[in-house]
Structure formats: structure tokens, C-alpha cells
Amino acid sequence: MADTSARMKAGSFIQTVMPERSALEVELESFKGDLRDDVVSLLRSCLDDLCSGCHGRSEVKAEEILEYTWEKLNTGHWKDVSISWRKAYSMASLTRVYSITGQTEDTGGRSHHRMQRALEICDMGILMGAPILGNILPDLAVELQKIIRDMDIAEAGEKSCRSDTQQAAIVDQPVLKRRKVDHVNRPVLSPSHVIPRACCPSLTEFHSEYMEAERPIILTGVIDHWPAMTSHQWSLEYLASIAGDRTVPVEIGSKYTEEDWSQKLMTLNEFIATYINCDEVAREANAPVGYLAQHQLFDQIPELRSDITIPDYCCLRPARDGTEEENSGEMSDDEIDINAWFGPTGTISPLHHDPKHNCLAQVVGEKVIRLYSQVETPKLYPHEGFLLNNTSQVDVENPDPERFPDFQSASFQECILKPGEVLYIPPEWWHYVRSLSTSFSVSFWWQ
């Protein structure tokens, strides 16, 4: 019964959200300029098959286009990849998603697997492609996640007659197991180095006293109203229910400066089970740390985006050329980069600096953060070379005095950032971050 219901929902899903053939053609015409003629021809043929209900044929053609465009996306530097090829990847992803979901009526008990596969392809289109058709892929992914969630609920309901032991195994998925309390190195902060706090300063005060003065400050009372802090608290259970089947990029390794650092794509459920809820044996064996870091998760998953709002302070423009320009109406949301930082105890961002203003909002858990102003740069020993010249060679909490003798004399400020607090970090200020518990932060960058 659960699978039959899923097939009906998938069919309804296709009927209600699939664009008209004319809209698909207009979109293709808008970006085909840099594509090879045979790729454009294959895309058109794929769309024809899809719109005529030949889902098997359209899926095969979409997969062929994805394989070819994948090579284009992974050749050379990402910044040099033509937007046309990224949009072609999105279009092929979209077509394949529709092709897969359109075949659910013929797949018997495999509907759940096919819907998960469709969601994975949709996410890859979001991550690697570019917005098409009014940025349709994130909305499709939300609907697919809902269908999968309903299928899971229906399946659990059908198995409700099992024994208590069996039922517990269904309800208590490994991804949701409660973690033991971690014993971490919790630093003792010196009062002379602590970053000050301010409760909801006015926009004028923030602009003059902190932005223009380039002074860090911890803001309190600014995000208490967020759904992520109230009605939709970001527990592991909530995150898994909203986005558990979504594919995300995860950094593997203690720091991005280490040789064994890498990245891997996995579902959020897999990330939580492997790196957040990993067992004590894995911890004691010093298994690699996983970190969902600096990812535009909220563009990918609109449901989580609705759980937060951009702080008003991020809409202030810095004064330039001696002029006072702080009209919040001149800064649009699109000009503000919003990134997610989600990981277990012990994730580390090495000492580095960024070119933009940064409001770092702490939603879950705590982080110890140390800041150094630009004037301390000579004592922080940046890496040589272009790629890491914004990153220090020094291990902040375990410095080598022989290699970096001046580091200990560098002036700094520090804090333990707690849930509900927002740390303002001025541009070019060096910052080191270590999580003291399972942690979820949201950064807002602007300039």
C-alpha cells in the first residue's frame, strides 16, 4: 500500500510541476550559445521523449548528457567554466529527475529507491549546475524530500503490528541516536582578552562603533526570534526530517591545510550517522573528522532558509571615501553570502582571514574563537604562495615557539560563542574556530 501511494504521489508530482515543452525550449534557447550542436540536438531529443511520455528513453539520453557535461565542469578551473555548460547540466538533471519519477508506476517495490535517486540527481544539479526555469531544482528537491518522508512514515505505519523490539528498530533510526557527552578541551579565557557583548545595538551604533571602527563584538538578542531557535529548533531529528536524504558536500579531515584533507558527497543522514553520531570506538581510533563547512545550504534547501532571517546589521554598507553610506535599503539579500557550518565536536577552522564583513550566528552548540587584527599579521606567519596566503601556519592552541617565535607576543581577543549569539568579525581580521560540541553556525558575509 505504501508503495502504491508513493507511485500515485509521484505521478501527481510530475503532472503538477513539470514545465510546458515551450518553456523548456525557451530556456534551452537562452543558454545554448556555447554548447556543441550535437549536445543541443540531444537535449532537444531528450525533452521530446520526456514530453511524449517516453521516460525510459529520455532518462538514457539525460544520463548521456550528464556524463558529457560532467567532464566539461571538471576540466580546468571552476571560475572558467561557461555558464552554458552549467545550465546544460541543470537541464539534463531536471530531465532525468522527471524521467525517473515518471517511471514509478512501472517499478513495483522500487519506488522508494527511485525517488531517492531522483533527489540525489536533483541535488547534484543544484550543486554543480546553474539556476534554470526560475531556479526550479531547489523547489523540486523539497517536493521529492516530502514524498520520500511520506513513504517512510507510511512504511513505518504498515509495520506497526511488529513486536516492540522490531518497532523500536524502525522508529529509532541510527541517525537519531542520542550522543554521549563529549569530554573536550574547554579553554579558560582571560578576562583581559574576552570579546565584549552588546544587546541589540542600534544600526547607527553598530555602523559607527563596530563596522567603521573595525571592532569585533558579540551581539545578543538578535536571533532569538528565529524559528531555528524557537518553533523549529535545529535538533538532529529536525534536520534529518527536513533534509536527511539531501546530498551535501562534506570536508573530511582535521583541517583544510592538512595533506589528508578531502571532500566527499553524501546525504545529510549519512553525515550525521558517520560523523555526528559515530560510536566511541571510532572516536578513540581518531577516525577522520567530517565537517559540512562553508556550504550554501540555504540556497539548496529553502525549508531551512525559512528558519532564519538575515540580521539587519548585514544590510549596512561600510562608508567609502569618507561618506556616510549606511542605507540598508541599498543592500539586497542577493549581495549577502549565507553559509552553513555543521559538524561534530572538534571541528577546526585554522587561523585565517576573509575579505568581507562577517556576522557568525551560533544556532546549536558552542565554539571557541580567537581573533587577531590585521596589524598582527607579521606575527601570524601566513603561508607563502597564493592559495593559502590568507591562512596562518601556526597551530593556535599548540604553537611551535621555535618555528614561530613572535606568535606568542601577538595581541588577540577570544570568546566562547554560545547558542543565540552572533559574532561580528571585521574584514581581514584573522580568526581561529574550534567547536566544543556538536555545532551548527550560520555565517553572513557582505561588503
Side-chain angles (χ1 to χ4, degrees):
M1 290 294 294
D3 196 65
T4 300
S5 174
R7 292 199 300 272
M8 293 175 63
K9 287 187 177 182
S12 174
F13 167 78
I14 286 294
Q15 304 260 332
T16 56
V17 300
M18 181 171 165
E20 296 290 337
R21 177 66 177 87
S22 58
L24 294 169
E25 180 60 33
V26 168
E27 185 68 30
L28 177 56
E29 283 289 325
S30 73
F31 66 80
K32 71 176 187 178
D34 292 340
L35 304 181
R36 286 175 33 176
D37 290 343
D38 57 341
V39 174
V40 175
S41 177
L42 186 58
L43 265 171
R44 283 205 173 97
S45 176
C46 183
L47 295 176
D48 288 340
D49 287 339
L50 175 68
C51 293
S52 62
C54 300
H55 298 128
R57 289 211 303 263
S58 61
E59 182 183 0
V60 170
K61 293 175 182 178
E63 185 173 7
E64 182 179 346
I65 297 167
L66 287 172
E67 289 177 355
Y68 184 80
T69 51
W70 177 264
E71 293 181 6
K72 289 289 185 181
L73 298 183
N74 287 277
T75 301
H77 294 289
W78 178 252
K79 64 181 178 63
D80 297 326
V81 175
S82 168
I83 192 69
S84 294
W85 286 108
R86 292 182 60 195
K87 288 191 173 186
Y89 189 87
S90 293
M91 182 68 85
S93 299
L94 179 71
T95 306
R96 193 169 181 207
V97 167
Y98 286 140
S99 300
I100 289 174
T101 53
Q103 295 176 69
T104 52
E105 61 185 31
D106 303 319
T107 59
R110 293 176 291 156
S111 292
H112 189 279
H113 172 75
R114 291 188 68 82
M115 297 301 280
Q116 287 181 315
R117 180 63 179 142
L119 180 55
E120 178 184 357
I121 293 166
C122 198
D123 274 326
M124 290 302 298
I126 297 169
L127 296 172
M128 300 297 294
I132 58 171
L133 294 162
N135 205 17
I136 190 174
L137 285 175
D139 293 335
L140 281 181
V142 169
E143 295 304 316
L144 285 165
Q145 177 72 81
K146 288 179 180 177
I147 292 172
I148 294 170
R149 191 184 313 151
D150 288 345
M151 293 168 69
D152 291 337
I153 293 172
E155 181 182 1
E158 288 183 359
K159 297 176 180 178
S160 61
C161 295
R162 293 187 177 187
S163 67
D164 291 344
T165 301
Q166 291 172 313
Q167 181 64 12
I170 296 169
V171 175
D172 186 21
Q173 296 290 336
V175 70
L176 306 181
K177 288 194 292 189
R178 187 177 299 277
R179 292 190 56 186
K180 294 182 179 180
V181 176
D182 291 308
H183 301 283
V184 298
N185 176 20
R186 190 177 183 86
V188 177
L189 307 187
S190 169
S192 62
H193 293 296
V194 171
I195 301 170
R197 286 172 165 79
C199 182
C200 297
S202 68
L203 294 180
T204 299
E205 179 184 357
F206 179 81
H207 187 265
S208 62
E209 297 297 319
Y210 304 110
M211 280 187 69
E212 293 307 311
E214 295 187 350
R215 292 174 54 205
I217 186 71
I218 296 173
L219 305 169
T220 62
V222 172
I223 65 170
D224 294 346
H225 65 286
W226 280 7
M229 303 292 299
T230 56
S231 57
H232 292 165
Q233 292 186 20
W234 284 357
S235 65
L236 297 183
E237 288 81 2
Y238 176 76
L239 294 172
S241 69
I242 294 296
D245 294 293
R246 304 301 300 274
T247 298
V248 293
V250 175
E251 297 182 357
I252 310 297
S254 57
K255 307 171 188 175
Y256 64 76
T257 53
E258 300 295 331
E259 291 184 0
D260 62 350
W261 182 89
S262 62
Q263 289 183 300
K264 184 178 180 180
L265 293 171
M266 63 184 68
T267 67
L268 192 65
N269 274 344
E270 291 170 338
F271 169 67
I272 294 174
T274 305
Y275 297 104
I276 304 293
N277 281 338
C278 59
D279 59 30
E280 296 301 317
V281 174
R283 294 179 199 284
E284 293 174 3
N286 293 321
V289 175
Y291 196 11
L292 199 169
Q294 196 177 330
H295 176 48
Q296 293 181 332
L297 186 69
F298 308 101
D299 290 341
Q300 182 183 358
I301 306 176
E303 286 177 294
L304 291 179
R305 176 65 179 84
S306 65
D307 287 343
I308 64 174
T309 56
I310 297 175
D312 291 341
Y313 306 109
C314 302
C315 296
L316 295 173
R317 291 186 184 275
R320 296 182 177 89
D321 301 324
T323 62
E324 288 294 327
E325 183 185 351
E326 53 176 293
N327 184 353
S328 63
E330 295 181 11
M331 179 75 75
S332 70
D333 288 0
D334 291 340
E335 297 178 85
I336 300 170
D337 300 327
I338 308 176
N339 286 296
W341 308 79
F342 177 33
T345 303
T347 56
I348 291 175
S349 293
L351 186 62
H352 68 286
H353 65 78
D354 300 307
K356 298 183 178 183
H357 296 269
N358 181 5
C359 272
L360 181 65
Q362 191 67 16
V363 182
V364 176
E366 296 180 338
K367 287 181 171 177
V368 58
I369 302 175
R370 187 180 289 191
L371 305 180
Y372 297 82
S373 74
Q374 304 171 54
V375 299
E376 302 297 331
T377 298
K379 300 178 181 179
L380 304 183
Y381 302 90
H383 281 273
E384 297 179 358
F386 176 74
L387 289 179
L388 289 176
N389 63 3
N390 73 327
T391 303
S392 170
Q393 301 177 64
V394 182
D395 182 344
V396 169
E397 296 190 89
N398 187 30
D400 184 339
E402 293 186 2
R403 292 183 61 199
F404 313 115
D406 295 334
F407 176 72
Q408 295 288 17
S409 64
S411 298
F412 64 89
Q413 299 180 62
E414 60 185 353
C415 71
I416 293 179
L417 196 65
K418 301 176 180 179
E421 296 182 334
V422 178
L423 173 62
Y424 168 65
I425 304 174
E428 309 295 342
W429 271 64
W430 295 82
H431 46 286
Y432 165 86
V433 185
R434 175 170 62 87
S435 62
L436 299 175
S437 61
T438 295
S439 170
F440 203 130
S441 314
V442 182
S443 63
F444 301 88
W445 293 342
W446 78 103
Q447 62 184 7

